[in-house]
Amino acid sequence: MISVIIPTLNSAPYLARTLAPLIAGVAQGVVREAIIVDAGSSDDTIEIAEAAGCDIVKSGPGRARQLIVGANAARGEWLLFLHADTSLAPGWVEEAQRFMSRPGAQSRAAAFRFALDDDSAEAQRVVSWTRFRGGVLKLPCGEQGMLISRRLYDMLGGYHQMEALEDIDLARRIGPKRIVFLETDAISSAERFQQEGYARRAWSDFVRIARYRMGGG
């Protein structure tokens, strides 16, 4: 039913943790395939993916390009786009099933609840801001995953080739009335946020989204 699409590039430190929660979906017949779209990893990413039984697809660099390539290779009637350093909390399968079984679900999309694997005050401020942004602006970030029917994805023209903000671009085209926010956490690694600095990362995201909404790309 669901094709899970995960873009990777030297993602070995996180990938096993990301793939582990998908096993429950496979066992319940909800996950049809997990597609790893790799942009030239030089670490153990491919070996981990092969050991987990994933399908491997090669792609040029760029997350948007990888997502497009993965969607083109997918065979499921539902697509779940997931970052390589994001793992879904227990209960995600049941909540996804409830969403997909709702009347009119194929004309809507769903995102999980943003979370980080860091309980520090700085990290939780970023979590609060991201959840606020998603709830008010109806703009989930890529770290929250995107569960969307193949029908709606194709109707919207899928992801567009962009250097950044491909997640925001797709969310805007889906529209606020067609996005459902699920209660299950999508837990992302905080490492990238820590490297950049939590406050700087939050401000950078805010500026980029504001410029995009004003047509500045």
Side-chain angles (χ1 to χ4, degrees):
M1 183 181 295
I2 296 177
S3 293
V4 183
I5 298 162
I6 304 173
T8 59
L9 178 60
N10 294 330
S11 304
Y14 321 103
L15 190 56
R17 187 185 72 172
T18 297
L19 294 175
L22 304 182
I23 296 173
V26 173
Q28 296 181 46
V30 176
V31 172
R32 173 175 180 170
E33 58 189 354
I35 301 173
I36 298 298
V37 189
D38 192 71
S41 294
S42 58
D43 62 2
D44 294 332
T45 295
I46 299 300
E47 288 77 6
I48 293 170
E50 289 177 339
C54 300
D55 295 333
I56 313 295
V57 179
K58 298 298 179 68
S59 167
R63 179 175 285 142
R65 179 181 289 108
Q66 291 173 266
L67 295 171
I68 293 167
V69 169
N72 290 341
R75 297 169 292 172
E77 62 178 305
W78 286 88
L79 308 176
L80 173 54
F81 297 96
L82 199 61
H83 283 192
D85 62 350
T86 298
S87 60
L88 300 177
W92 81 267
V93 177
E94 292 75 13
E95 190 170 22
Q97 285 180 300
R98 289 194 295 271
F99 166 73
M100 293 185 294
S101 66
R102 295 178 189 173
Q106 290 213 354
S107 297
R108 308 186 77 182
F112 294 91
R113 188 170 64 172
F114 178 77
L116 291 173
D117 61 354
D118 182 352
D119 294 329
S120 70
E122 281 188 303
Q124 293 311 304
R125 280 195 289 270
V126 172
V127 169
S128 296
W129 148 248
T130 304
R131 291 178 180 177
F132 173 79
R133 185 197 81 189
V136 174
L137 301 179
K138 303 297 184 184
L139 291 176
C141 60
E143 286 86 354
Q144 292 176 250
M146 176 61 73
L147 178 60
I148 184 171
S149 70
R150 163 66 75 176
R151 172 185 172 185
L152 179 57
Y153 179 85
D154 288 345
M155 185 183 76
L156 295 172
Y159 282 101
H160 290 171
Q161 180 58 54
M162 307 171 63
E163 291 187 7
L165 297 181
E166 72 285 337
D167 49 352
I168 302 300
D169 175 71
L170 181 59
R172 284 198 68 184
R173 285 183 282 125
I174 293 170
K177 293 183 179 180
R178 294 192 293 189
I179 294 180
V180 174
F181 287 85
L182 305 178
E183 296 182 1
T184 303
D185 284 349
I187 307 166
S188 292
S189 169
E191 183 176 346
R192 290 180 292 111
F193 296 82
Q194 292 167 343
Q195 291 174 347
E196 187 174 345
Y198 285 115
R200 179 175 295 179
R201 174 60 183 264
W203 176 249
S204 174
D205 286 348
F206 174 80
V207 170
R208 289 194 304 159
I209 293 168
R211 286 177 176 172
Y212 176 82
R213 288 177 66 87
M214 291 185 293

